[in-house]
């Protein structure tokens, strides 16, 4: 980041000395916008989710970058893990039960979502104590 700012500043000073002083501010604005974009990207990368499964409860805790936490609870006997595949190869995971759906795992790759949905479905079946069909 400092290298980008240094190059931007030097180019801005060159244009300032040539008499094109408004260009100096545009170089500063470019640096500021790049800095803000990196900060926002880094901040959004701090979201995480925790899935906890027991015989009587499945809970999904989502912690946002601001520190705010949401907890969704489901009964493992009724919850379904839905992996929605789109034509372009993208997918999404949703937990659904009794008319309530909660999407999760948006920060995972498509391959990781596929693997996790399979592993979670298998774990829910084991928690129910039922046969695999």
């Amino acid at each position: 980041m400092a290298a980008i700012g240094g190059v931007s500043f030097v180019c801005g000073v060159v244009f300032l000395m040539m008499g094109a002083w408004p260009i100096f501010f545009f170089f500063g604005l470019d640096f500021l916008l790049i800095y803000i974009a990196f900060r926002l990207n880094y901040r959004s990368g701090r979201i995480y989710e925790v899935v906890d499964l027991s015989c009587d409860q499945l809970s999904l805790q989502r912690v946002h970058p601001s520190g705010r936490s949401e907890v969704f609870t489901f009964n493992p006997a009724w919850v379904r893990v839905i992996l929605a595949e789109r034509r372009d190869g993208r997918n999404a995971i949703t937990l659904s039960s009794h008319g309530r759906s909660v999407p999760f795992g948006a920060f995972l790759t498509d391959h990781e979502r596929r693997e996790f949905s399979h592993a979670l479905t298998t774990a829910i079946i084991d928690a129910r104590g039922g046969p695999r069909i």
Side-chain angles (χ1 to χ4, degrees):
M1 278 309 277
I4 294 171
V7 170
S8 179
F9 180 74
V10 169
C11 290
V13 168
V14 169
F15 280 103
L16 182 67
M17 295 182 77
M18 292 173 49
W21 59 269
I23 303 296
F24 179 76
F25 296 108
F26 284 111
F27 276 108
L29 181 64
D30 287 348
F31 174 72
L32 180 66
L33 291 175
I34 290 172
Y35 175 77
I36 290 171
F38 273 108
R39 292 293 295 183
L40 289 174
N41 186 33
Y42 176 74
R43 185 172 187 265
S44 68
R46 294 189 320 199
I47 190 170
Y48 66 92
E49 295 168 335
V50 177
V51 177
D52 186 26
L53 177 63
S54 65
C55 293
D56 60 341
Q57 182 176 330
L58 170 70
S59 68
L60 169 67
Q61 178 186 16
R62 180 177 297 141
V63 180
H64 296 272
S66 64
R68 182 175 59 94
S69 178
E70 295 177 291
V71 177
F72 307 95
T73 58
F74 299 93
N75 183 336
W78 297 102
V79 71
R80 290 184 307 144
V81 179
I82 300 169
L83 179 66
E85 298 268 356
R86 294 190 335 207
R87 288 186 179 167
D88 63 355
R90 302 278 305 161
N91 58 34
I93 305 175
T94 305
L95 290 175
S96 180
S97 177
H98 292 90
R100 183 177 68 153
S101 295
V102 178
F104 72 103
F107 51 86
L108 298 173
T109 65
D110 294 322
H111 180 69
E112 290 171 336
R113 278 191 290 271
R114 272 188 214 95
E115 286 182 351
F116 188 75
S117 69
H118 177 68
L120 184 57
T121 301
T122 303
I124 289 171
I125 291 169
D126 289 343
R128 290 177 187 156
R132 295 184 186 178
I133 299 174

